[in-house]
Amino acid sequence: RSYIHLSRSNEKGRSAGAHLVKGHMEMIRISDDAYAMAVRRYLRAHRAAPTEPLPLLCAANASASLSATLSDPARKRRWCLVSLALLDDYASYRVHGDDPGDASTRA
């Protein structure tokens, strides 16, 4: 199911799977700017397949990796909070199976 859903193209012709692969390739580069680019790629994958939780988990991992590499405490804290927020959204998708921003579908 997930593979089929992630392979569908969005309105710009890019599939969520393509964004995930590009995000993974950025993570391999291991640098601050590559991690930041990976987060952007994973969030694009999430926009292309908003019901899939995997892009959120990947984005949380990339933002946590970015946070670990930074020396500036303020930026480190900011990326750590981004990572926690993405993990919270991921958990909501796994538990509720809906868009975490849509409170109307929750009991």
Side-chain angles (χ1 to χ4, degrees):
R1 174 193 165 258
S2 292
Y3 173 75
I4 292 169
H5 187 70
L6 289 173
S7 65
R8 291 187 190 141
S9 296
N10 65 2
E11 66 279 353
K12 293 183 181 179
R14 284 281 170 102
S15 70
H19 287 299
L20 282 174
V21 169
K22 288 186 178 205
H24 295 335
M25 296 303 290
E26 293 293 339
M27 289 294 289
I28 291 171
R29 288 184 29 216
I30 308 175
S31 70
D32 294 355
D33 58 333
Y35 290 144
M37 180 58 82
V39 171
R40 286 192 286 275
R41 292 280 185 191
Y42 292 138
L43 292 177
R44 287 180 191 153
H46 174 62
R47 282 193 298 273
T51 59
E52 290 295 327
L54 181 62
L56 288 173
L57 183 61
C58 293
N61 178 45
S63 61
S65 298
L66 177 60
S67 175
T69 63
L70 296 173
S71 58
D72 178 24
R75 288 183 67 205
K76 183 176 257 193
R77 217 176 7 257
R78 187 177 322 128
W79 280 104
C80 185
L81 291 174
V82 167
S83 180
L84 291 173
L86 289 166
L87 282 174
D88 185 54
D89 285 351
Y90 170 76
S92 179
Y93 270 98
R94 296 295 293 171
V95 171
H96 300 289
D98 62 353
D99 183 352
D102 184 14
S104 65
T105 60
R106 293 192 189 149

